[in-house]
Amino acid sequence: MKALITGANRGIGLEFVRQLIMRDAHVFAACRNPSKAGQLLKLQEDSPQQISIIKLDVTDDKSLSDSHNLVSSKTNGLDLLVNNAAVSPVDKGLGTFDSSTIKSILAVNMVAPILVIQQFAQLLKKGEHPRIVNISSGLGSLNRASESSTKKYASIYSSSKAALNMSTIQMAHELADHKIIVVSITPGWVKTDMGGPNADIDTNESVSGMLQVIDYIQLEDTGRFYDYTGKTIPW
Ligand SMILES: NC(=O)c1ccc[n+]([C@@H]2O[C@H](COP(=O)([O-])OP(=O)(O)OC[C@H]3O[C@@H](n4cnc5c(N)ncnc54)[C@H](OP(=O)(O)O)[C@@H]3O)[C@@H](O)[C@H]2O)c1
């Protein structure tokens, strides 16, 4: 398998790299600052044939096209794209919003995944059983947002993930003729810089669950929203 993971230098993205190389995949591990990606560089040192580190800031058009040029110089096809990179700054609600912060969250969490898919679609069309996974969040579920327990969470982040989920559906329609499966998966509440130390599960459990979902999804599942255990999440 040939896989491209964004935000591969830490957290869930790094764990995807670790588990995919254990499955003999070749991973294009994309991150904004390769020279500072200590843990990823260490993984590459141990498995140099299996990891290509790709410089990619997902909000930067030039970086997107440069990363595409680099990946296509190394492979003719991609089997898996994981749109994992995201930001989740704390937001304090009405009275504290400013347009630049809102735009910067949407740029990473919602706009970039569309542009990454657009950039790498040709390589995915040539992949084997190609799949695109948008890493979403339970907070992006409109259904769950109406529950009072979710009210204290970041609203712009939630909106960005709800918008990402709509892109999943639209891209699933658009790419179905090319037999490319597109799904959203929520990783659970995971112990990372974003999830914090009190989260429910570690990256190992989250990513091994998501990889099982990725293994079993077929074309008829395209456009769906799963959690890391394989349960369907209401939009
Ligand atoms: N952890 C949770 O509990 C949880 C729950 C639900 C959903 N998620 C989702 O799971 C995914 C991974 O989250 P995580 O917990 O692993 O978060 P994390 O530890 O904060 O890692 C975020 C990753 O995104 C990268 N990133 C941010 N902006 C970027 C940009 N402009 N270009 C390229 N990379 C960028 C970061 O790179 P830098 O190191 O360069 O900043 C980092 O690699 C995200 O989509 C998140 O929304 C996480």
Side-chain angles (χ1 to χ4, degrees):
M1 174 192 277
K2 288 176 182 152
L4 171 67
I5 316 294
T6 66
N9 55 307
R10 59 188 166 103
I12 290 167
L14 181 70
E15 184 62 22
F16 263 113
V17 180
R18 202 189 307 277
Q19 293 197 22
L20 282 166
I21 61 171
M22 277 159 45
R23 294 165 156 230
D24 287 335
H26 186 93
V27 184
F28 296 95
C31 60
R32 335 185 228 200
N33 287 308
S35 61
K36 293 187 182 151
Q39 290 175 280
L40 180 59
L41 287 164
K42 175 77 179 72
L43 276 185
Q44 191 195 37
E45 203 179 293
D46 296 340
S47 307
Q49 302 303 324
Q50 282 182 267
I51 300 179
S52 304
I53 299 181
I54 307 292
K55 185 173 167 58
L56 173 59
D57 179 332
V58 294
T59 61
D60 182 310
D61 289 340
K62 168 116 180 19
S63 182
L64 276 166
S65 66
D66 287 351
S67 68
H68 171 259
N69 291 343
L70 187 54
V71 173
S72 22
S73 72
K74 292 172 185 281
T75 183
N76 295 324
L78 277 177
D79 312 315
L80 174 66
L81 164 64
V82 181
N83 268 316
N84 167 75
V87 289
S88 177
V90 175
D91 96 39
K92 298 194 179 86
L94 276 184
T96 68
F97 293 129
D98 66 80
S99 64
S100 67
T101 309
I102 294 175
K103 284 176 191 164
S104 67
I105 297 170
L106 294 178
V108 183
N109 296 6
M110 185 251 162
V111 178
I114 296 172
L115 297 178
V116 172
I117 291 171
Q118 180 166 272
Q119 197 66 247
F120 290 95
Q122 289 305 329
L123 285 176
L124 285 153
K125 285 175 188 172
K126 295 182 202 145
E128 230 175 85
H129 190 40
R131 283 147 290 174
I132 297 171
V133 175
N134 290 329
I135 302 294
S136 185
S137 167
L139 298 175
S141 161
L142 298 175
N143 208 293
R144 287 194 179 173
S146 55
E147 295 166 11
S148 58
S149 60
T150 61
K151 277 188 184 151
K152 60 182 186 288
Y153 293 108
S155 56
I156 305 302
Y157 175 80
S158 304
S159 303
S160 73
K161 292 295 190 179
L164 173 68
N165 285 344
M166 179 57 89
S167 303
T168 295
I169 295 175
Q170 299 303 333
M171 293 287 167
H173 290 317
E174 183 137 0
L175 294 169
D177 284 349
H178 299 282
K179 300 197 173 357
I180 300 175
I181 301 164
V182 190
V183 293
S184 284
I185 308 182
T186 167
W189 185 23
V190 191
K191 293 183 175 76
T192 62
D193 293 338
M194 187 183 292
N198 298 323
D200 291 334
I201 54 174
D202 60 19
T203 55
N204 181 19
E205 183 175 352
S206 172
V207 171
S208 61
M210 287 194 280
L211 282 172
Q212 281 181 43
V213 177
I214 291 167
D215 283 341
Y216 78 61
I217 48 174
Q218 299 297 325
L219 206 52
E220 59 265 29
D221 303 313
T222 196
R224 292 200 174 144
F225 185 14
Y226 294 97
D227 77 1
Y228 73 100
T229 68
K231 224 169 48 194
T232 302
I233 302 286
W235 295 111

